[in-house]
Amino acid sequence: RFTQRGVNISLNLSGNSLNDETLLDYVQTQFDEHGIQPDQICFEITETAAIQHLNRAQVFAREVRLWGCKMALDDFGSGLSSFRYLKMLPVDFLKIDGSFVQDLLESKNDYALVAAINQLAHMMGIKTVAEHVANLDIVEMLREMKVDFAQGYGLGRPMPLLDAWTWRTSQL
């Protein structure tokens, strides 16, 4: 029986393990058979495996955390091609994904992500564009963050180029 208090064990899970439908039952059986306390276990999943098996990783992580286990996202950043592309591609603009922008007013996490992406881009000399800007309150928040540009229905609906030109020149 495994009952050493103060001992914490990290276990790496592969993508194949995550894909195994019996994994949760197997883990629970091992805990029961060996007297393992869930709060002594930290499961590690690489970012790449988590992305490739996202639904299963989410279910697994939620369940074992309810049991008291810890979860770690291993190799964070190495699987994010977007960071790699920033290093490799000479770009002038970085468009901030609308999934982070659309809930900016309600989500501290989205706010932090948008601010971090914006700051990183600016440090690299890259201008930023926020996508899916739904209203002027979001525009104001982006302005405070010093995001360079915004696009979305909150600023205007898509229209044919000639109509946009006519609208623009009529505003002058």
Side-chain angles (χ1 to χ4, degrees):
R1 296 194 77 56
F2 182 82
T3 57
Q4 293 290 324
R5 298 310 306 163
V7 173
N8 295 302
I9 298 173
S10 292
L11 302 169
N12 288 302
L13 294 176
S14 68
N16 288 340
S17 296
L18 285 173
N19 215 25
D20 184 344
E21 293 181 15
T22 65
L23 178 61
L24 280 169
D25 289 336
Y26 175 78
V27 170
Q28 184 63 63
T29 300
Q30 298 310 303
F31 284 0
D32 294 344
E33 285 183 12
H34 300 285
I36 299 170
Q37 299 301 310
D39 65 348
Q40 294 179 269
I41 303 296
C42 178
F43 289 101
E44 295 185 12
I45 303 173
T46 65
E47 181 180 9
T48 303
I51 290 169
Q52 289 173 347
H53 306 278
L54 186 57
N55 289 337
R56 292 206 186 265
Q58 288 172 320
V59 168
F60 182 84
R62 270 191 236 116
E63 187 65 26
V64 298
R65 289 184 75 218
L66 286 174
W67 298 345
C69 298
K70 301 286 187 263
M71 288 294 306
L73 188 58
D74 197 12
D75 298 334
F76 180 77
S78 66
L80 287 175
S81 58
S82 38
F83 283 121
R84 202 167 37 245
Y85 291 146
L86 273 180
K87 277 179 46 174
M88 296 169 43
L89 293 173
V91 297
D92 300 297
F93 298 95
L94 182 64
K95 295 183 80 173
I96 301 170
D97 191 87
S99 66
F100 301 127
V101 175
Q102 64 191 7
D103 295 324
L104 199 56
L105 298 173
E106 296 84 30
S107 171
K108 291 179 185 176
N109 291 338
D110 285 344
Y111 182 92
L113 286 166
V114 170
I117 292 167
N118 186 59
Q119 183 179 15
L120 175 66
H122 287 168
M123 288 177 67
M124 297 176 76
I126 300 170
K127 300 257 186 221
T128 53
V129 181
E131 299 178 317
H132 296 272
V133 176
N135 58 56
L136 294 179
D137 291 333
I138 293 175
V139 170
E140 188 55 38
M141 188 170 280
L142 293 167
R143 185 176 285 129
E144 289 171 12
M145 285 187 207
K146 300 190 179 356
V147 172
D148 299 298
F149 301 98
Q151 66 183 58
Y153 287 168
L155 299 169
R157 298 282 180 179
M159 63 179 76
L161 181 58
L162 289 177
D163 292 348
W165 178 255
T166 303
W167 179 84
R168 174 78 173 134
T169 55
S170 70
Q171 300 298 308
L172 300 175

